[in-house]
Amino acid sequence: MEPQLGPTAASLCPGRPHLLLWVSALSCCVPSLASPSPSLVPRIRTSYNFGRTFLGLDKCNACIGTSICKKFFKEEIRFDSRLASRVGLPPDPLPSYPANYSDDSKTWRPMEISRLVSKQESDISDRRICASAAAPKTCSIERILRKTGRFQKWLQAKRLTPDLVQGLPSPFLRCPSQRLLDRVVRRYAEVADAGSIFMDHFTDRDKLRLLYTLAVNAHPILLQIFPGAEGWPLPKYLGSCGRFLVSTSTSPLREFYGAAPDQAADLAYQLLGVLESLRNNDLNYFFYFTHVDAGTFGIFNNGHLFIRDASALGVIDKQEGSQAAAGAEESPDIFSCLVSGCRAPLPSCDAVPEKQSLVLVCRRVLPQLLQGKFPSPVQDEIDAALARCGEDASPDPEVLGAASRLKDLLRPLRTCDPRFAYRYPDCKYNEKF
């Protein structure tokens, strides 16, 4: 039996491809699948059928050819058999779904499919796009977005320049430099022949996909242009389209709030190190968070801490500075308002202090991880350093000094054993680890 789309999704996909509309199929009824083998690798084609139902890939082909679809069709992504019953549970779709990934059909690794925006935000966004063109509540999203003034400028552009992203709501694009935007185009994984700073090899749909992703959530773009394989604290990008992302699996930091003292010390030490690398790195970019919570950071099964959600991560090019023209901010358009409404203009790039991410983490994350974990007087010293680190009124040098003191306190509290596989057994022979 073929899966049936809900009335909104069905009307969105009548006989021709429409960009990103396959995500609307999440409101559909998911039929029961045949019970597969209890193995982590279900029977052949189960994932294909499930992917069609889950993502609506049989109804809209706007994402066909992208990395996420290729992996489904080639059976490189397979779901655990226990997942099927969970996906169809209304009315609250899950924010992420566990699965397994392989590029050789022999070795399987855990990964997850994550929503870049919530189901409610997706529905609001669809209605907002239709309303922007005075269309009925169900419409061709691709057709409307193609007619916008912003996209017409993208169609004519040979190079991604700051004026083309002016007014988009992502912190990533708050202070765009030409060097940063060239990096986006050169490393965009969803087109063939990536490597050029020019967009000559982009089709119209490629440009619309990139623009839409930048407007909705820049997290997948950050994973592509600052990959973990090059030492950046981000998970591996496996594919994306529209409002979904496939990446390597991590456990959110909130699951470790009850961790043993040595593990809590190790995670806190790593987190402070990550923030330090975001402030100072070889490429001379300054990364800062506009918001953090317990889901912002995650841990791989080897104990290594990474940024799990980079949607609130801004980037300032310390080498070139922001090249957005002063006073050139465009009036809000539909791409400025796709997710959470038209946001107020962001303050100057010069107003972002070096301490910003440290203050947020020391206030909202580290206290829950380190509270009451150690005997006095060590705990008292940790609490005092946390308080100074989280003081927004203090000048940058005082906050940075408090963070350095906190690292010094945490370092001897870490242990060297196989639980910390990301640095074991190196930690037995080298104090650096």
Side-chain angles (χ1 to χ4, degrees):
M1 173 177 151
E2 285 291 318
Q4 299 297 311
L5 290 175
T8 300
S11 60
L12 288 173
C13 309
R16 60 162 289 174
H18 299 301
L19 179 74
L20 311 168
L21 301 188
W22 50 276
V23 296
S24 299
L26 290 173
S27 62
C28 72
C29 299
V30 180
S32 299
L33 300 177
S35 298
S37 159
S39 165
L40 283 178
V41 184
R43 287 198 300 265
I44 194 69
R45 309 310 290 171
T46 297
S47 294
Y48 173 80
N49 293 329
F50 189 78
R52 289 196 311 165
T53 303
F54 176 50
L55 299 178
L57 299 179
D58 57 333
K59 300 297 181 183
C60 303
N61 70 356
C63 288
I64 299 300
T66 60
S67 52
I68 187 172
C69 292
K70 289 177 181 177
K71 287 175 171 58
F72 270 107
F73 290 163
K74 291 166 63 178
E75 293 292 312
E76 293 177 359
I77 297 175
R78 297 184 179 179
F79 291 96
D80 190 327
S81 60
R82 295 168 294 178
L83 180 61
S85 61
R86 297 170 60 197
V87 174
L89 290 177
D92 239 356
L94 300 173
S96 63
Y97 300 84
N100 299 284
Y101 167 74
S102 176
D103 51 14
D104 61 7
S105 298
K106 297 177 182 178
T107 306
W108 294 84
R109 302 183 297 277
M111 46 77 69
E112 60 188 355
I113 302 179
S114 305
R115 292 177 177 276
L116 297 175
V117 294
S118 70
K119 177 62 167 64
Q120 181 181 13
E121 288 174 325
S122 295
D123 293 341
I124 293 173
S125 177
D126 287 348
R127 292 195 296 269
R128 188 175 286 133
I129 293 171
C130 295
S132 72
K137 64 180 180 180
T138 58
C139 64
S140 166
I141 290 177
E142 179 177 5
R143 188 178 299 121
I144 290 175
L145 294 182
R146 279 179 174 274
K147 293 179 180 178
T148 60
R150 185 187 294 270
F151 184 63
Q152 291 304 309
K153 291 181 181 179
W154 274 63
L155 286 178
Q156 301 302 316
K158 298 295 185 182
R159 192 175 185 183
L160 183 59
T161 52
D163 61 296
L164 295 177
V165 299
Q166 201 87 28
L168 296 184
S170 170
F172 170 65
L173 298 171
R174 174 182 182 179
C175 312
S177 69
Q178 189 59 60
R179 184 170 72 116
L180 179 64
L181 297 180
D182 285 346
R183 191 176 180 89
V184 170
V185 173
R186 192 170 66 249
R187 296 191 167 213
Y188 185 51
E190 299 303 331
V191 295
D193 301 321
S196 171
I197 63 173
F198 298 102
M199 296 191 289
D200 297 331
H201 56 298
F202 280 51
T203 66
D204 292 0
R205 180 162 285 162
D206 291 334
K207 290 185 176 182
L208 189 50
R209 284 174 181 152
L210 176 57
L211 171 57
Y212 189 94
T213 303
L214 289 171
V216 170
N217 189 323
H219 175 67
I221 304 301
L222 280 155
L223 267 58
Q224 294 171 64
I225 68 175
F226 299 110
E230 295 178 6
W232 299 98
L234 292 164
K236 183 177 181 179
Y237 174 85
L238 296 175
S240 70
C241 188
R243 300 161 186 159
F244 276 83
L245 164 75
V246 182
S247 63
T248 48
S249 181
T250 61
S251 300
L253 184 59
R254 68 172 65 90
E255 295 182 5
F256 295 83
Y257 282 168
D262 60 341
Q263 188 176 25
D266 183 78
L267 294 174
Y269 185 88
Q270 286 190 72
L271 180 46
L272 292 171
V274 164
L275 298 185
E276 186 175 340
S277 71
L278 296 181
R279 294 194 308 273
N280 302 291
N281 50 76
D282 292 341
L283 291 185
N284 217 12
Y285 288 111
F286 168 54
F287 299 81
Y288 63 92
F289 284 101
T290 59
H291 167 81
V292 297
D293 57 34
T296 302
F297 305 98
I299 293 88
F300 288 136
N301 56 12
N302 66 355
H304 207 173
L305 182 141
F306 279 71
I307 298 170
R308 191 169 189 260
D309 179 2
S311 60
L313 196 62
V315 184
I316 295 177
D317 190 335
K318 294 192 291 184
Q319 180 172 306
E320 292 189 357
S322 173
Q323 286 153 356
E329 182 107 4
E330 293 184 1
S331 300
D333 61 4
I334 187 58
F335 288 101
S336 309
C337 317
L338 282 180
V339 179
S340 56
C342 302
R343 301 178 182 177
L346 294 168
S348 166
C349 300
D350 298 330
V352 182
E354 192 174 2
K355 67 184 179 184
Q356 178 160 310
S357 296
L358 276 172
V359 170
L360 291 172
V361 166
C362 289
R363 278 186 173 184
R364 302 179 183 179
V365 177
L366 290 183
Q368 300 181 71
L369 182 64
L370 298 174
Q371 185 176 14
K373 289 287 174 70
F374 310 98
S376 295
V378 173
Q379 184 70 55
D380 297 334
E381 292 186 73
I382 288 175
D383 292 343
L386 270 177
R388 292 195 300 272
C389 175
E391 182 51 65
D392 192 32
S394 298
D396 284 1
E398 289 187 17
V399 173
L400 296 177
S404 178
R405 172 58 179 160
L406 185 56
K407 281 191 73 176
D408 290 341
L409 291 169
L410 293 170
R411 185 179 182 88
L413 300 176
R414 304 156 76 217
T415 56
C416 180
D417 63 60
R419 289 178 300 153
F420 308 105
Y422 78 96
R423 58 183 176 90
Y424 182 88
D426 297 325
C427 55
K428 294 173 63 176
Y429 314 108
N430 191 329
E431 291 185 0
K432 176 184 175 182
F433 301 99

